[in-house]
Amino acid sequence: MNSKQTRPFSAVEIIHVKRDGHRLTDEQIDWVIDAYTRGEVAEEQMAALVMAVLLRGMDAAETARWTSAMVSSGEQLRLAVDRPTVDKHSTGGVGDKITLPLAPLVATCGAAVPQLSGRGLGHTGGTLDKLESIPGWRANLSTDEINRQLNEVGAVVCAPTEGLAPADRKLYALRDVTGTVESIPLIASSIMSKKIAEGTNALVFDVKVGSGAFMKSHENARALATALVDIGSAHGMHTSALLTDMSVPLGRTIGNALEVAEAIEVLRGGGPRDVVELTVMLAREMLQLAGVSDVDPGEVLASGRAYETWCRMISAQGGNPNGGLPAARHMHVVDAKRDGVVARLDAYAVGLAAWRLGAGRARREDPVQHAAGVRCLAKPGERVAAGQPLLELHTESKDTIKPAMAALNGGLEIRDTGASHNLTVLDAVRGEVPAVL
Ligand code: URA
């Protein structure tokens, strides 16, 4: 889609165009992304441009072109797999460990899953941090290793290779410090540039909505889902998005090793109902996009066959699937103050508590504590008695317990009555299916 063009523009001229509310041309977009990646456009000029984009927006065609330009800034993974490839991307939530059972499940059902994942930042966790709690597991793979694992196991979850979408890496760091992260065209193009460079044939988004999500309102989440799917369609990728509720943590565990243990329960045919349901629902959506129609992912998950694929997937990356997971040095139990029903367990409050316990990071370069996190012993709709344990707080450092308790203040309520919280799919956005994969 993007042919590199050489006509030099002036960065100031391009800033003026967007500042004054006009469309950028394909040539202007190609030039500014390329020149920024090479260091010819200065950081302060790009900062002004992305602020203008945040305030003025970009239409679907501009956003698609911006994405292509970022893809062209680096290498594209050459996937050589003899089955259809399909990936899933979640916009991030609290207790969202779905990739862990989903990737081996979809591989067991017959598609190949190449998932280049990220690390967590703030109150939402990252898939690589979760997997790194498995002793020996390695996130960095070469393209040859990715292809070998895709062909032999069918699923690979790893860190993006170095040369993938360098323009996005630079731009994301700039947006982080210039108050320009929250622009839907910039978020969508950032996510999609990495997915297009990854080379998957099809892609399903789980766009989270609610207190524990990046997008707090349905309206913004739908706009992001539409922008993502439109970019996919413009690049010939089968793309769809489900909008799912993130006002309550997903499952009963939040924090890296705790979430891996819960994912293993799901892969063995057990685990919390919401995690099982979302895993199966996303697997169905992925298999449909990949053109695999003769398998029921619900049956495959319940059979435990996906667990065998998980073990092979972990071993292929140096991890020992039977080697045990780290346990935290300290545990603090939060008890129910009264008899009643759990009426509220706020995803953001629990995510923040887990972060303060050491499960998350505040800056990209910070380490995470693999054993830290929260276990929810009771969830909304469940009846509890005074003194009954509600939450377990796990940490390596006792002094994190007080700030974690402060984070939970107001996020947990027991009343006389309260509704149970079922997995809710709020909406779906499906792209036009391109003629050829
Ligand atoms: N994740 C990304 O990869 N990019 C964004 O801009 C936001 C979230």
Side-chain angles (χ1 to χ4, degrees), residues 328-343:
R329 244 186 303 231
H330 307 284
M331 189 178 60
H332 177 82
V333 176
V334 180
D335 293 330
K337 298 262 182 304
R338 51 164 287 195
D339 294 348
V341 176
V342 178

Side-chain angles (χ1 to χ4, degrees), residues 41 73 76 79 83 95 105 111 119 124 129 157 161 166 173 177 205 213 235 243 274 293 302 365 394-395 415:
V41 167
S73 71
Q76 285 180 256
L79 294 180
R83 4 181 182 165
L105 172 61
R119 294 175 200 284
T124 62
D129 296 323
V157 180
T161 53
V177 294
F205 284 99
H235 287 81
L243 272 66
D274 57 349
S293 54
E365 56 278 17
H394 296 243
T395 184
R415 294 201 192 130

Side-chain angles (χ1 to χ4, degrees), residues 20-79:
D20 296 341
H22 304 300
R23 288 193 78 252
L24 298 173
T25 64
D26 289 353
E27 292 73 22
Q28 286 169 331
I29 292 172
D30 292 350
W31 180 82
V32 80
I33 297 288
D34 180 47
Y36 174 61
T37 311
R38 289 185 287 103
E40 191 182 324
V41 167
E43 294 290 338
E44 59 271 25
Q45 292 178 309
M46 199 58 170
L49 179 59
V50 291
M51 181 58 82
V53 168
L54 179 126
L55 297 172
R56 295 295 199 167
M58 285 199 289
D59 67 21
E62 282 175 291
T63 309
R65 189 70 182 203
W66 186 281
T67 310
S68 313
M70 294 214 292
V71 174
S72 300
S73 71
E75 68 188 25
Q76 285 180 256
L77 219 61
R78 280 184 218 292
L79 294 180

